Amino acid sequence: MADRFQISKVNGSANINAAYDAEGGADESDASTIAHPPPAINTTANYNDNHLQPNKAASHETGENRRSSRLSFRGFGHFLRKSDAERKFSLAQLTKETLPRLDNYRISMRNLKRPSIGELQGEAAEQSITIPDATEPEPTGGHIKLGWIVGVLIPCLLNIWGVMLFLRLSWVVAESGILQSLIIITISAVVCVITTLSLSAISTNGEVKGGGVYFIISRSLGPEFGASVGVVFAFANAVSASMNTIGFCESLNVLLKNNNLKIVDNGINDIRIVGAITILVLILICCVGMEWETKAQNFLIVTIVLAIFNFLIGAAIGPGGDDTLISKGFVGFSWNTFKENFGSDYRYAEGVNHDFFSVFAIFFPSVTGIQAGANICGDLKDAGAAIPKGTFWSLLISMTSYALFVLFAGGAAARDASGIPGDLVNGTIIPSELPCMANHTCTWGLFNSYEMMQLMSLWGPLIYAGCFAATLSTALTNLLSVPRLVQALGIDEIYPGLIFFSKPYGKHGEPYRGYVLTFFISTSFLLIGELNLIAPLISTFYLASYALINFCTFHAAFVKPLGWRPTFKYYNAWISLFGFAMCVAIMFLINYVAAIITFGIIFALYLVVMYRKPDANWGSTTQAQQFKAALMAVQRLQNVSDHVKNYHPQVLVLSGDPKTRPPLVDFGFLLTKNNSLMFVANIIPVRVGYKNRLHLVKDGQKYLDARKIKAFYNVIDGFSLEDGINALIKSTGFGKMSPNIVLVGYKPDWNRCRKEEVESYFSILYNAFSQRMGVALLRLSNGLDFSELSPEVTIASGNNSLNHLNTPNALGFTNELMPAANAASELLHIDSNLNLASMDSPNSSYTVPQPAPMPNMQRSSRSYKVNGTSDDPSITYHTKGGSEIPQSLLDAMTIFTRKQAKGTIDVFWLYDDGGLTILLPYIISMRSHWANCKLRVFAMCHGKDEETEEKSMASLLTKFRIKYSELIMLKGVSEQPRHDTILKHKRLIEPFRRSARNEFGITDEELQNMAEKTNRQLRIHELVVKHSSDASLVVMSLPMPRKEAISAPLYMSWLEMLTSDMKCPVVLARGNQTPVLTLYS
């Protein structure tokens, strides 16, 4: 077969399968079907049976295909005999198959499309739906891609080496001492290492796009977590830029003060003025583009490294006997100084009584740069390889430098000093002898001066340059990442307010609007001017994001979806879980109020996304967990024996297209809402092709979802109506999640249609009972067919703004090859006059008869919205041709969805079927729309002791705990029906009596044998009309269809008589003779 496939492609054959099947002995009709691709489905042309006749031209062409195949075989043999030098054909010339390539798996407009199954099978080309990819715009120019050193290592180092390194680390040593400072650094390092392991695992599990932490979390845990943390993380980065800018301004103020210079007050106002100008300049640098920002980073990193070595060398050399330096606290390395600074000495400073965790909160933002590479992952050449490598190296280098700074500062400088050489004792500082210690007026030392780094360095001005570079570089990387993160959130349209900031500018797609937003956020926090007040808030924000990164990895590794295949193997699910718990614990130990506020913000943002329900399907691990949990629950349920107390009516609704028969679907949902499963099925007797069937399924499911009907919709094509329903009954669902009730609509045209349709309808009911299913049959006085109306599903933009991502219907794309909305339902329309016998053609092309226009035809089209508000999904029904819809039709269409007035639900429980006939109306009476309708129960008695039987029936209902308003025992059921009733039934079956022209009708023998039962059905009809003419709903026991005892026309006449002359809906129901109610607890 494979050789034949290649042969036909070499010789340009129009159809491969035709040639193969014809040689293999396929009959002429099959070859004809294959040789002629199915034409487009026509739903507007008039119905014509001519298309069912065999096509002679097709048969002739089939013969041509056979000859073409034989010629192709000879040609291919000649091709194989050619030498290697002569064989110039590529694989693409031999076959449509494609090789596994990376471009086939890209999710963008640039990906290469592998051939579909239909193309490989030689199906006719179908119109495709092209959806613009909003998540990855086509690049319009050469985008700069960065390696792991420039793109990850340097940004991470610049982020980590921030304001704390030169301005606050000496103060941390003074408060916590050498030991606890190293513990703080170690804890921070452990958190960062665990988070980096988790980050590396996620970032190597597929291609990482722009958006950084937001992209990673949203694609792992879903848009709810990702978007909420993404907003918090963007906010934290913006505030972190403010904090580092404040650090820059503080060091600048010190430099100006030492030179007797100032701008306004050499204090907080100078910080605000210089800080606002600095943020503006940094924003402008970012706006210039990645190239200029990268050049600025290279200069800044060199400056910081020089400043670090400048401090280490200066501290190692010592003060050199300079009394001025010694009096200011730089005493040089000594064992006494190391011992004195080894322990902690927490003091009151800046309005706070500091302890270990308060100092940790101030220090921790200095190690929060590990995400810098992930924040610009869209600009990396290979994010999966660069992020782990660059981040780990940056952690190793930065933590080593922090530890060295602690040892050098703690071993070579005193905590307190006066700066007065005269206070020295034997050329050194003795803290107990310092006069300033008594009144706490010391101005120098690790505790009191942020200039100790400059004092201890080899060349002081270089420390200023390093401080400027560290603070500005961190601020620059923060300001660079925030707009891109906001842009990613806006492109995904998770939050409406951020959509405005997603617009890209220039060939590199720069988020200029995001830069403006970042400027205002950072500047507003800059105006606070106090670095120690901002740092704890940033710590909680960063810890929250780190906690969720760790949880993402744990969740993915624990659930183990098949898509979880990270190339980075040095991670562990339980270590990630420990990292998550560690981050949360530290958050609450630092400041439980800030932690609660942080989680409150995340939870509020989470609820916003949950409420909006974005149509974002990113294959998150939460989806995998839901599937796994559902699978395990179903498997556990399979081993649980059925019990009558846990019975649920699980309904298979044979509605056809649900848009054309809404009352039948509504009635099914009335029974299953919040309790059990509901399946909606549509059988199409002809093959419609994969894409057309998929479109029908999606269209029907969208209709059900818009009406908030929880149901599963399926379409089966290529089966006759009877065979399709039999297949559905046997195969729908799985295990205990399978239907146990078949709900069908009544067929009011049974006495006008062909006999095959009547036989088919009768067989459907018979086969349902044969499969031990319960059966419910619904009849409305106006019928169930609303195919003359054209429903249109309308989804408000405010309810779902992500329709453009994955759903072509939401985009407004239409496929001309798809059948009309009512086409499928007409094929399964029990109460239509469609000729089922004419649907036996194997061709995929079919036409659908157009329904007759309704009365009062007008030229202008009309539309009627039957449910929904401006903010909710709604179904609008349009008339075809502009006919006016009577109010009675609209009422009938919404009979089961609108609030019912006071009335009764009359239950004629005539035969014991296990209790389904009484259970279904009881469920309906419990629904809010039917709460005003009382339950009335009618039962038959044997006629011996009516009072005793009534008491027995009342006792039974009481023990079943069925609340009813009235119990009526039907009398005179065995009496002879009225003459007019008998005459009506006689006229009804007269066309079906057996005669010379009708060899398969109702025989006189059958009428005689079934006379008693027929009279009982007629008598029940009279009693139903007598007692329930004003009821809101009538539920009645369905007579059992017995093929061996009764013919289809006679049985249908029974159903007609039982349900006729009623204004309200009538339901005929019967269980499968197994109990669905129990007396026991």
Side-chain angles (χ1 to χ4, degrees), residues 396-416:
L396 178 63
I397 295 171
S398 60
M399 294 305 163
T400 302
S401 65
Y402 278 135
L404 288 175
F405 266 54
V406 169
L407 294 174
F408 276 59
R415 276 192 168 106
D416 296 288

Side-chain angles (χ1 to χ4, degrees), residues 384-517:
I387 290 176
K389 191 174 182 180
T391 306
F392 275 116
W393 272 107
S394 66
L395 273 177
L396 178 63
I397 295 171
S398 60
M399 294 305 163
T400 302
S401 65
Y402 278 135
L404 288 175
F405 266 54
V406 169
L407 294 174
F408 276 59
R415 276 192 168 106
D416 296 288
S418 63
I420 302 173
D423 292 337
L424 299 179
V425 178
N426 295 327
T428 188
I429 295 176
I430 300 177
S432 59
E433 300 294 332
L434 289 175
C436 63
M437 287 293 293
N439 52 11
H440 304 289
T441 58
C442 296
T443 56
W444 288 95
L446 296 176
F447 255 125
N448 309 298
S449 175
Y450 296 143
E451 300 178 49
M452 290 302 296
M453 294 294 182
Q454 292 89 329
L455 193 68
M456 298 171 67
S457 64
L458 188 63
W459 186 46
L462 187 56
I463 293 295
Y464 280 109
C467 184
F468 293 162
T471 53
L472 292 179
S473 64
T474 305
L476 188 63
T477 52
N478 286 327
L479 294 174
L480 184 70
S481 62
V482 173
R484 282 168 169 74
L485 202 155
V486 172
Q487 186 182 42
L489 281 163
I491 289 175
D492 289 338
E493 297 191 13
I494 305 296
Y495 299 109
L498 298 180
I499 298 175
F500 174 79
F501 302 99
S502 64
K503 183 178 180 180
Y505 290 90
K507 64 179 182 179
H508 295 157
E510 293 294 335
Y512 291 146
R513 294 179 178 179
Y515 285 127
V516 175
L517 175 67

